[in-house]
Structure formats: structure tokens, C-alpha cells
Amino acid sequence: MKEEKSKELFEEAKKWMPGGVNSPVRAYGSVGRVPRFISSAKGSKIVDADGNEYIDYVCSWGPGILGHAYPSVIEAVQKACSDGLSFGAPTEKEVVLAKLIHELIPAMEMMRLVSSGTEAVMSAIRAARGFTGRDKIIKFKGCYHGHSDGLLVKAGSAALTTAVPDSAGVPADYTRNTLVAYYNDETSVEKLFEANKGQIAAVVIEPVAANMGVVLPKEGFLSFLRKITEDNGALLIFDEVITGFRLGTGGASGYYGIRPDLITLGKIVGGGMPIGAYGGRREIMEMVSPLGLVYQAGTLSGNPIATTAGIETLTALKNHPEIYEELEQKGKRLEEAMKETWRGKATVNRIGSLMSVFFTNEEVTDYESAVKADTKRYADYFSYMLDKGIYLAPSQFEAMFISAAHSTGDIERTCEAVSGYHF
Ligand code: KE4
């Protein structure tokens, strides 16, 4: 497979950007191939700088649920561009998008649009602390919530240990209020509440984890979190940057029937343009400036081009709910092909169009079991699929995303490639 142009661009890019990329996972660090520089995308396909076409299962890490360059989104964005790119003033489109988000996710009674998932989660945590007057938060090992200082942590040796930064440049002081529990482990959460009575502002969780590979909440885990936070005067924050509008138009809160206090969104809500959002109970959001004392701002927040893409994307999903049943069938077919081919040698975790294969014969229910997967095997599988023209996440600890544009032919071609991968 030709990769000269990507290789040349990668060498040049490395002179100007750390690792030659603007987000680490794109550098293919754990799969050891030349990262593909993408020149265009349409529907389920992406084309790289050497002209190679791939069936895309990254979908820009989630935003591309409709498929790339969805006609109504492109048309609306092109028109919006001719009306100007950014005004730094309120626009009608922000009202339209906020009302549409509320219609699809009623728990978001009031919200603030921002420009990334990181910004959404960082701001939601600040609002939670401002509302409760408490400093500590609980996150879960293996969950990723963007790169704000206080969330770049991993657990200490035991659940009761406060977190230690897992990035250089984050002062230890910035993470001493971050407590780390273990996904699907209710005892680890109970111990933290016991040891930090009256000090915990919020629990933040990916309701379906997708940053240690996909890990589903076990039966009752989310409702346990809903109860223990209520019982302790803490807030429950669902980080739905990935699950929002992915599991259904109601996201995870709709899918599981759990009403968190705050929800964060990203990715699909902007249809591929830079948008994040955080929101929830009105009385919490009324703490946010200029109404309340929790400061948060952004030059490009609610940007008219990004909100246009978001409105068109959510409108398409709202008007075509059949997309989600189709995504379920496509995911099911892929899951079956993987399980059939790698029986006993791989575990597939899936919910709808969000899935991961782990090369381990054990169940993957948390970070500890996820990291037992054979990452070298994953790298080899990634490379085999890349050469077959199938573009997967270049890391075992990411997710596979399916779009409405993936045809039966795409799915069958992928299943055929899967069935040809033996080890
Ligand atoms: P952004 O700041 O990257 O828009 O969103 C951060 C974020 C927050 N919450 C969750 C649950 C997320 O998955 C993310 C970002 N997801 C990664 C993919 N694992 C983005 C890809 C990347 O970092 O390049």
C-alpha cells in the first residue's frame, strides 16, 4: 500500500508539531505504522494523501455518526459561512441548538455551549463545586474526560489514595481533590464517600466507558451512583461526550433511564465541528456567569458555523430514529463475525454502534481487565486491517464507531477481513 505522501507529510509535520500531530493518538504510537494523513472523506469512506481509500471506523472519534460530509450538514454550513464565521455575540442558532438538545435530552434544562469536550467537563466540574461548595470529585480509573489538569490522574495504589498526576506539568496540588474509584466497583465508591464525608462535590463518569476500550456499566451500577450521590449531597455528572446521541437521541441518560445532575456533550453535538456543551439542572446552571458566581467564558462558544453543523446533525438524527436500529444491526453483525472468528481468543464489548475488541479471553469490565489485553496483537490486527483498506482506531484503548453511511457491503467486507485474520 502506497504511503510515501503520508510518510513525507509526517516527517515534515514532526518538525512543527509534537509527534507531528495535534492530538497524541493520531501518531499511531502504539501500532507502529505511518499515520495516514487524510485528504478527504465522504459517507463511510476516508481517503489518505496517497489516494488510498478506507472504510472508516474512527468517524473522527465519534462525531461522524451520519457519515462524512452529510449533504444537509455541508449545505447548511456552506450557507452559514457566507453569512460570516464568528460574531462574538449571541445568535439565534445557539437558541435553536440549545432547545433541540433539551428536546432530545430533557435532563439538560439549561446549558452552556463551549468548544470542546475538555472544556465541557472542566466547566461542569467547576459548576458542581460552585453549587455544592465542596472541592473533591470522584472519577474512575480508565475513564478519560479531556485534558484539564485535575482530571489527568490515575489511581494511587489503593482506592483510598488520592490521585497522582499522570501528566508532566500538572502540580500535585491540582489533583489532590481528585479521588479515583474503579469502574463497576461499588465498594470503591462507598469507601471514598465514607472517607470524605461532606467533601465530595460530584462523581463524574463515562456512563459507557470508551477510553479504556468500550466497557459497559454492569447492571445497577449507574443507579447505584445516582443513589449514593443523592444520599451524600453530591452531584452525578454523566460525561456523554461519546455516548451523547450515540446510544440514541437521548444518549446514555435516555438509554439507561438515569437522570444525572449535569451532562457533558461533545463530538456528535457539533457534527464534526468544534463544539462541547455542559448543562443539567437549572439551579446548578444558574450559578454560571453572568448569572452566578461560577466563571466560564469562550470566544468561539456557540460559534455560528459549529452550531449550524450541530443543528443539522441532531435534526437528521431526530427525523431518522431508524438510524439507531440500523446501527444496532450493523454492530451486531460485526460482533458476531469477530466472536465466530476469534472464539476464546478475544472479547468484544459493544453497545449499538460503539464497540471494541480486546485480544484476551477474559471478560473486560474495568481498567484492570482491559489492560490485560494483548496490545501487540491489537497492533498486528490494526496493521492487517489497514492494509485491507479498513481504518480502525490506532489503539487498543479506543473505540470502534459505526455510522449510518456504512453500507451492508462495507460491513460484509469488514466481516470478511475479520474472518481472514487468524492467530
Ligand atoms: P475533546 O476535548 O477531545 O473534544 O473531548 C475530551 C473528551 C471528554 N470526554 C470523553 C468521554 C472523551 O472521550 C473525550 C475525548 N475522546 C477522545 C477519544 N478517546 C478524543 C480523541 C483524541 O483525544 O484525539
Side-chain angles (χ1 to χ4, degrees):
M1 172 179 272
K2 285 187 302 138
E3 56 185 20
E4 287 69 28
K5 190 66 184 157
S6 279
K7 195 170 171 51
E8 179 195 319
L9 286 168
F10 190 41
E11 291 315 311
E12 184 65 18
K14 284 193 276 192
K15 295 177 194 164
W16 307 104
M17 293 159 282
V21 292
N22 285 308
S23 201
V25 70
R26 304 178 189 172
Y28 282 26
S30 59
V31 291
R33 289 288 297 265
V34 171
R36 280 4 192 195
F37 279 61
I38 303 303
S39 50
S40 68
K42 178 81 181 143
S44 62
K45 306 296 186 304
I46 50 171
V47 179
D48 71 17
D50 291 282
N52 301 307
E53 184 184 81
Y54 306 86
I55 302 173
D56 178 23
Y57 286 102
V58 174
C59 300
S60 179
W61 299 103
I65 192 168
L66 294 173
H68 292 291
Y70 193 76
S72 67
V73 175
I74 296 299
E75 205 180 304
V77 164
Q78 283 172 333
K79 181 183 175 321
C81 287
S82 54
D83 295 337
L85 299 180
S86 177
F87 317 124
T91 63
E92 181 182 1
K93 285 177 180 169
E94 293 156 84
V95 179
V96 171
L97 182 55
K99 289 171 75 173
L100 188 48
I101 291 170
H102 172 68
E103 182 188 343
L104 298 175
I105 306 179
M108 292 191 76
E109 299 166 0
M110 180 176 267
M111 66 200 81
R112 180 52 71 79
L113 303 179
V114 293
S115 299
S116 71
T118 293
E119 205 182 345
V121 180
M122 176 176 76
S123 309
I125 286 174
R126 189 180 305 137
R129 285 171 163 154
F131 180 75
T132 59
R134 298 176 178 182
D135 294 341
K136 292 184 176 176
I137 55 157
I138 293 176
K139 76 172 288 289
F140 291 85
K141 193 173 179 185
C143 285
Y144 175 68
H145 301 289
H147 63 89
S148 61
D149 284 340
L151 290 167
L152 288 177
V153 300
K154 51 176 170 277
S157 53
L160 289 185
T161 319
T162 50
V164 290
D166 64 3
S167 166
V170 176
D173 202 29
Y174 281 37
T175 59
R176 68 184 163 78
N177 286 312
T178 308
L179 308 171
V180 181
Y182 297 88
Y183 207 85
N184 282 324
D185 178 343
E186 294 167 0
T187 308
S188 71
V189 181
E190 285 162 346
K191 282 181 177 172
L192 289 176
F193 271 103
E194 199 49 44
N196 298 276
K197 281 191 185 320
Q199 301 173 60
I200 294 171
V203 171
V204 59
I205 189 164
E206 291 179 62
V208 171
N211 286 288
M212 48 178 135
V214 174
V215 172
L216 304 184
K218 73 179 185 186
E219 182 68 32
F221 183 60
L222 296 177
S223 43
F224 157 79
L225 291 178
R226 179 61 286 179
K227 186 168 183 330
I228 195 167
T229 44
E230 271 166 1
D231 292 351
N232 287 275
L235 302 183
L236 179 59
I237 302 174
F238 272 9
D239 177 353
E240 294 220 41
V241 166
I242 283 186
T243 56
F245 314 110
R246 171 64 55 181
L247 306 192
T249 51
S253 65
Y255 185 92
Y256 289 104
I258 303 261
R259 195 175 179 106
D261 299 293
L262 290 172
I263 292 174
T264 57
L265 299 170
K267 300 180 192 280
I268 293 173
V269 77
M273 295 295 285
I275 280 197
Y278 69 103
R281 282 169 47 199
R282 188 173 289 279
E283 60 270 32
I284 300 171
M285 292 306 292
E286 287 174 344
M287 293 290 294
V288 179
S289 63
L291 214 48
L293 299 175
V294 174
Y295 191 73
Q296 181 265 312
T299 303
L300 296 176
S301 296
N303 170 274
I305 313 306
T307 47
T308 298
I311 291 164
E312 290 305 320
T313 300
L314 298 191
T315 301
L317 292 170
K318 176 187 160 190
N319 294 343
H320 298 284
E322 72 278 6
I323 282 177
Y324 291 101
E325 182 46 35
E326 290 163 6
L327 287 171
E328 169 56 28
Q329 293 313 314
K330 295 171 187 176
K332 190 159 173 276
R333 176 74 186 96
L334 285 169
E335 177 183 355
E336 285 165 355
M338 291 175 177
K339 286 182 171 173
E340 214 166 284
T341 308
W342 302 320
R343 196 181 306 286
K345 294 191 278 186
T347 290
V348 180
N349 285 353
R350 179 180 73 83
I351 180 166
S353 61
L354 182 65
M355 61 193 286
S356 288
V357 60
F358 296 90
F359 290 105
T360 170
N361 59 3
E362 292 179 25
E363 257 204 316
V364 177
T365 58
D366 57 14
Y367 179 79
E368 275 62 29
S369 45
V371 295
K372 286 183 188 162
D374 181 346
T375 51
K376 285 194 174 46
R377 173 56 56 202
Y378 183 85
D380 185 68
Y381 164 64
F382 170 87
S383 186
Y384 162 84
M385 294 293 266
L386 191 72
D387 292 336
K388 289 272 183 193
I390 295 165
Y391 188 79
L392 301 175
S395 160
Q396 165 68 81
F397 304 114
E398 296 290 353
M400 186 175 182
F401 297 89
I402 308 167
S403 85
H406 282 77
S407 65
T408 307
D410 292 331
I411 299 296
E412 289 312 312
R413 200 179 115 199
T414 309
C415 292
E416 200 180 318
V418 163
S419 58
Y421 183 72
H422 295 290
F423 55 95

